[in-house]
Amino acid sequence: MFYTRIPCPKNISHDPEYLNKATRYFPLIGWIVGSISFLAFYISSLFLSAETAVILGIIASILTTGAFHEDGFADVCDGFGGGWTKEKILMIMKDSAIGAYGAIGLVLLFLLKFKLLSESVLLFTNNNFWLQIFLLFVSAHSLSRLAAISIIFTHEYSRDDASSKSKPIAKKHSWKEVLGSFFFGLLPLLAHSFFQYQILLVLIPVFITHYFLARYFQKWIDGYTGDCLGAAQQVCEAVYYLSILLIWKFI
C-alpha cells in the first residue's frame, strides 16, 4: 500500500504504526517490482530486441511504484541543486513542480540505467542465463532498497514538523525491522552468488554509495527525508548495474 500501486484490501488503513512495521518489507517490495520488471523484459525479448525489452522492463517497474522513487530523485536534484540552506532545500523538495535540475537528473538517470542494464543482461549466456537475469533484476531492486531504508536506522528525519512530509516514511524501528530489511535485501543476491560468487562484491560499491549519500544529506539538511530515500534507491540501483559490469570486466 505504501510502496507500490498494487491494490490492497479496502479494510487495511493507513496507520502510522503499520508504516513503521512495513520498513522491514521495503526490500521485499524489491522482489515484487524486480519480478514484474523482469517479466515485462522476458516477454518483450521474445518478440523485440534486448534494448527495447529493457526499456519496457524499466517502464513496468515505474508503473508498479507509480514513479515513487524517481519522483524523490528528481526532488533531491532540484532541492540540492537549487538550495544552499537547509530551509531552502527542504522548501524546494516539498514543491510538487519539477525544475531544471530534476528534469536533467531524470534524463541522465534513465539513460544510465538503460545502458547499464542492457549491457548487464548480455553477460549471462550460460545454461541458466534466464534465471540469472531474473536474479539480477530482483537483487538490484531489493539491495538498492536495503541501502536506502538502512539510512533511517542510522540517521534522523530532517523535517521538524511531521505534517510537512511530502512522502510517507517510517519514524521508528526495532531490531525486527533491521533484521527483516537485511534478510529480504540480501537473500536474492546470495541466491545469485550461487552461480557467480564474485557478484557479492557489489555490496562494497553499493554501501559505499549509501554511506556518502547519507553523509551528504546529513551535512546539508541534518538527516534525511522520504525524497532522499527515493534518490538513494535510484542511485544505488544504478551503482549496482555499474558494479556488475566492472566485476565481469576486471575480475
Side-chain angles (χ1 to χ4, degrees):
M1 178 186 294
F2 293 113
Y3 299 134
T4 74
R5 292 293 179 89
I6 298 174
C8 294
K10 294 182 179 180
N11 62 330
I12 299 178
S13 63
H14 287 268
D15 191 302
E17 185 60 27
Y18 289 164
L19 181 55
N20 290 322
K21 293 180 179 180
T23 300
R24 77 188 75 166
Y25 301 111
F26 187 47
L28 180 61
I29 295 297
W31 296 21
I32 300 173
V33 178
S35 297
I36 293 174
S37 180
F38 169 78
L39 184 62
F41 165 79
Y42 173 73
I43 295 175
S44 302
S45 67
L46 299 177
F47 310 98
L48 304 168
S49 68
E51 290 79 8
T52 303
V54 166
I55 295 175
L56 293 174
I58 293 174
I59 291 174
S61 68
I62 294 173
L63 291 175
T64 303
T65 62
F68 191 56
H69 311 303
E70 290 80 3
D71 178 62
F73 175 82
D75 287 342
V76 166
C77 289
D78 281 331
F80 288 88
W84 291 98
T85 65
K86 174 182 177 180
E87 292 73 21
K88 184 66 174 179
I89 292 172
L90 294 177
M91 182 182 70
I92 294 174
M93 286 199 293
K94 187 180 179 182
D95 190 349
S96 59
I98 187 171
Y101 291 106
I104 294 170
L106 283 177
V107 170
L108 295 177
L109 174 70
F110 288 138
L111 283 174
L112 181 61
K113 287 171 66 174
F114 161 70
K115 184 60 176 176
L116 293 176
L117 188 53
S118 296
E119 294 184 13
S120 296
V121 298
L122 297 178
L123 297 175
F124 308 104
T125 57
N126 57 28
N127 293 332
N128 298 304
F129 72 99
W130 281 119
L131 177 57
Q132 291 193 63
I133 293 175
F134 168 74
L135 291 172
L136 171 74
F137 275 76
V138 174
S139 57
H141 283 274
S142 62
L143 185 62
S144 61
R145 281 165 171 77
L146 171 62
I149 205 67
S150 59
I151 293 177
I152 76 169
F153 302 148
T154 55
H155 294 74
E156 295 295 326
Y157 191 78
S158 178
R159 298 187 191 275
D160 297 325
D161 179 12
S163 65
S164 66
K165 297 193 296 293
S166 60
K167 289 180 174 59
I169 185 66
K171 299 296 290 295
K172 298 183 295 182
H173 62 271
S174 67
W175 64 269
K176 293 181 180 180
E177 279 68 53
V178 176
L179 289 180
S181 296
F182 275 86
F183 174 79
F184 292 120
L186 295 177
L187 190 59
L189 182 66
L190 293 175
H192 200 172
S193 68
F194 176 79
F195 300 98
Q196 304 282 348
Y197 71 91
Q198 297 95 332
I199 202 171
L200 292 175
L201 292 173
V202 302
L203 289 170
I204 298 174
V206 167
F207 276 94
I208 288 177
T209 303
H210 151 87
Y211 169 78
F212 281 105
L213 284 174
R215 183 180 178 183
Y216 183 76
F217 298 148
Q218 182 67 35
K219 174 184 177 181
W220 284 98
I221 61 174
D222 300 320
Y224 66 90
T225 66
D227 286 327
C228 293
L229 300 187
Q233 186 277 319
Q234 288 292 295
V235 173
C236 287
E237 183 185 346
V239 169
Y240 176 95
Y241 299 134
L242 177 61
S243 302
I244 292 290
L245 294 177
L246 293 176
I247 288 172
W248 255 255
K249 183 175 179 63
F250 296 108
I251 297 180

